[in-house]
Amino acid sequence: MPREEGEAGLTDEQHAALVGLLDEMGPIAEELGARFRAGGHELALVGGPVRDALLGREVHDLDLTTDAVPQRILELVEDWADAVWTIGIDFGTVGLRKDGQQLEITTYRSESYDPESRKPEVSYGTSLRQDLVRRDFSVNAMAVRLPEGEFVDPFSGLADMRAGRLRTPGAPRDSFGDDPLRILRAVRFAAQLGFDLAPELTEAASDMAERLSIVSAERVRDGLSKLLLSPDPRRGVELMVEIGAAWYALPEIPKLRLEIDEHHRHKDVYEHSLTVLDQAIELERERGFAPDLVLRLAALLHDVGKPKTRSYEPGGRVTFHHHEVVGASMTKKRLSALRFSKDTVADVSKLVSLHLRFHGYGKGEWTDSAVRRYARDAGHLLQRLHVLTRADCTTRNRRKAAALARAYDDIEDRIERLAREEELNKVRPDLDGNEIQEVLGISPGPMVGKAWRYLLELRLEHGPMSKEDAAAELRKWAEEHGG
């Protein structure tokens, strides 16, 4: 691989990183590059894998680009690849697997949005430089030609990488006009890589944020998900709000900036929500969790119901009664509109609705039955609820914070003890549906469900009982209800 000269040239370490990337690909890089060259075509490793190798990050995806059109790509790899798939062929991409490695090869292209269209129009290009200039950022517009291994950086991506700066290869207004989702990609890369946005990029993003309204909900959802799963999502959210993109992606968040939190007078609700997000991520790490989209969405959105429930009390106190209920409904509506999965929508909404439940715990006055209900209502979300509730404590009063932490330690200990004693997460009534019908002498119907729920309440209130005692309680209940 030739060494680049000049101020923006590769360092020895970066040169070695690219050599190492090609070595990891093994003979695939040379064999595939030679095939395309023999067929009269160019081939280059491009974008993410080159950027990540130069940054010393782990490389996950192998993306390549070529002047060969998709049908020609298929011809060139047909008798060489172990498997080929064409799911992205309409956008010029052919996927393949060789010796256990997956690659995607995309024809040089330029894509743009019609002002009224939600889908990009794709046309093929003829040169590597033309392909690189249409890419989102200069740090993603670097390539390594195959098979010779020549490093190509026509838009100073290496210099921008060293400066920790995001800049577009061409004019940022042209880039965002081609694909408005790049505005969200900019804030995501800032969060993911710790880069700053170039001033001209920030200005263009702010002026053109409204263009995000033509991007499909699914693409916005994917962009938000990647942002929230980045190492520093707070930075991305703040940038998204700062440039106005949040109004078109997650408008509930900028609305929080004007709301005062009655529990945290030193912060507005927006700042409080970002702090909760930070603290939830820290607790994730402490507890050994993988980055959790459901938890992070819940942390960010847990107080979105406050703007609609704000009320002024005598003495100037501001309250937000039932904001968790309103917030859960708003969360469900927003995440559904963004086409998140039903499970994600349900889980995030439930966490929002439950995030205040613990504050009734006080100094441990809850009975065991109340603790059982808390755990049972949380269900499979219990560990996430533990994290969210702890993260929601942002008070600067050390004594109050310590008291809350002790109280939550106590409830977690009690839940664990009860779970050991009676397998809390599997709590069921002491009689099943068939046994209820036999005891009461009834057929399947609504009465069986009512009886089942009554027995469940008994179980939660008093713990397990014998079938004989359960049957006796059931008969007594049935008599009182006209059975």
Side-chain angles (χ1 to χ4, degrees):
M1 180 182 299
R3 175 68 180 271
E4 293 293 306
E5 301 296 333
E7 182 182 356
L10 293 167
T11 63
D12 290 336
E13 185 177 357
Q14 289 170 330
H15 182 270
L18 292 183
V19 171
L21 175 59
L22 296 181
D23 286 345
E24 285 183 19
M25 293 179 66
I28 292 176
E30 187 169 348
E31 289 177 13
L32 196 56
R35 273 181 167 266
F36 274 72
R37 174 178 284 179
H41 295 286
E42 299 176 348
L43 184 69
L45 194 64
V46 68
V50 178
R51 177 201 69 224
D52 288 341
L54 291 172
L55 285 170
R57 293 161 53 91
E58 186 176 353
V59 174
H60 296 286
D61 302 314
L62 294 175
D63 299 323
L64 298 101
T65 188
T66 179
D67 61 337
V69 297
Q71 190 57 45
R72 181 62 175 147
I73 296 173
L74 290 173
E75 294 171 0
L76 290 168
V77 303
E78 182 179 14
D79 59 348
W80 178 81
D82 297 330
V84 175
W85 53 92
T86 59
I87 191 170
I89 201 165
D90 289 344
F91 296 96
T93 299
V94 172
L96 62 89
R97 183 173 66 250
K98 176 70 173 179
D99 296 339
Q101 296 192 61
Q102 291 190 181
L103 307 89
E104 287 191 346
I105 307 175
T106 302
T107 305
Y108 295 157
R109 66 188 184 186
S110 60
E111 59 186 35
S112 61
Y113 277 85
D114 181 271
E116 303 303 324
S117 173
R118 287 180 174 266
K119 295 183 179 180
E121 297 178 357
V122 177
S123 58
Y124 298 135
T126 57
S127 73
L128 179 58
R129 182 184 177 88
Q130 181 185 5
D131 181 79
L132 295 178
V133 74
R134 67 98 189 163
R135 291 180 178 266
D136 51 7
F137 308 111
S138 61
V139 295
N140 294 332
M142 298 179 287
V144 176
R145 291 186 184 275
L146 301 178
E148 61 270 34
E150 176 189 357
F151 177 60
V152 181
D153 181 20
F155 302 105
S156 302
L158 198 58
D160 286 340
M161 185 180 295
R162 288 175 181 162
R165 173 180 60 216
L166 274 184
R167 191 176 52 82
T168 53
R173 291 179 184 276
D174 292 341
S175 181
F176 296 149
D178 287 344
D179 184 355
L181 189 68
R182 289 175 175 175
I183 296 171
L184 282 187
R185 284 174 64 84
V187 300
R188 192 248 295 184
F189 275 115
Q192 192 170 15
L193 303 176
F195 286 6
D196 294 322
L197 306 186
E200 67 276 11
L201 187 152
T202 300
E203 181 181 0
S206 299
D207 291 346
M208 302 180 70
E210 187 178 2
R211 288 276 288 159
L212 281 167
S213 60
I214 72 166
V215 180
S216 70
E218 291 81 0
R219 296 188 76 209
V220 173
R221 173 202 64 204
D222 291 345
L224 286 172
S225 298
K226 291 175 181 177
L227 187 159
L228 286 173
L229 291 172
S230 69
D232 187 10
R234 178 187 183 125
R235 176 179 173 81
V237 173
E238 287 176 327
L239 281 171
M240 189 168 62
V241 171
E242 178 185 326
I243 63 178
W247 289 107
Y248 304 96
L250 208 57
E252 292 79 5
I253 300 306
K255 289 179 181 178
L256 295 176
R257 287 182 297 177
L258 302 179
E259 306 306 325
I260 304 302
D261 187 329
E262 80 278 17
H263 295 302
H264 313 279
R265 291 181 178 274
H266 56 279
K267 297 184 183 77
D268 64 20
V269 181
Y270 171 69
E271 288 295 329
H272 166 70
S273 298
L274 292 178
T275 301
V276 172
L277 176 60
D278 284 341
Q279 294 184 167
I281 292 170
E282 184 60 31
L283 287 166
E284 264 184 5
R285 294 167 182 155
E286 289 178 6
R287 297 189 173 209
F289 293 0
D292 187 336
L293 180 62
V294 167
L295 175 61
R296 294 183 181 197
L297 279 167
L300 183 62
L301 298 172
H302 75 284
D303 275 348
V304 294
K306 285 190 170 179
K308 286 189 175 182
T309 58
R310 180 173 57 179
S311 177
Y312 297 98
E313 303 292 333
R317 185 168 178 264
V318 182
T319 61
F320 303 95
H321 295 306
H322 306 301
H323 74 268
E324 74 281 11
V325 178
V326 174
S329 176
M330 292 171 63
T331 296
K332 182 177 181 180
K333 183 177 180 180
R334 174 56 55 194
L335 297 187
S336 296
L338 288 170
R339 305 291 191 270
F340 278 93
S341 70
K342 289 183 178 179
D343 286 345
T344 298
V345 173
D347 287 351
V348 177
S349 302
K350 189 169 185 178
L351 284 171
V352 172
S353 73
L354 292 174
H355 82 273
L356 284 185
R357 180 78 70 85
F358 164 73
H359 292 286
Y361 187 71
K363 296 180 180 179
E365 297 94 342
W366 279 6
T367 62
D368 282 353
S369 62
V371 175
R372 289 188 189 100
R373 285 190 180 87
Y374 181 81
R376 188 175 184 277
D377 287 350
H380 71 282
L381 297 171
L382 182 60
Q383 295 305 315
R384 286 168 167 147
L385 183 59
H386 287 335
V387 172
L388 177 60
T389 303
R390 287 181 181 273
D392 195 25
C393 174
T394 61
T395 179
R396 292 179 179 177
N397 185 318
R398 292 185 179 181
R399 182 177 298 177
K400 182 178 179 181
L404 285 169
R406 286 194 300 271
Y408 213 85
D409 288 342
D410 183 62
I411 194 174
E412 284 199 58
D413 289 343
R414 290 179 66 185
I415 288 171
E416 186 177 347
R417 173 176 59 80
L418 289 169
R420 286 196 305 267
E421 291 176 358
E422 51 186 279
E423 297 183 328
L424 186 63
N425 60 343
K426 298 179 182 178
V427 169
R428 295 291 185 273
D430 295 292
L431 301 178
D432 63 23
N434 290 328
E435 290 168 325
I436 289 171
Q437 293 174 60
E438 183 177 345
V439 169
L440 297 183
I442 60 175
S443 301
M447 189 66 175
V448 177
K450 292 178 182 179
W452 190 94
R453 287 189 291 274
Y454 169 70
L455 290 176
L456 178 60
E457 285 297 315
L458 280 183
R459 175 66 184 272
L460 290 170
E461 186 69 30
H462 302 293
M465 63 179 69
S466 69
K467 288 188 180 296
E468 291 78 10
D469 289 344
E473 291 292 339
L474 179 60
R475 293 189 188 98
K476 185 188 303 182
W477 172 84
E479 289 176 3
E480 292 173 354
H481 288 76

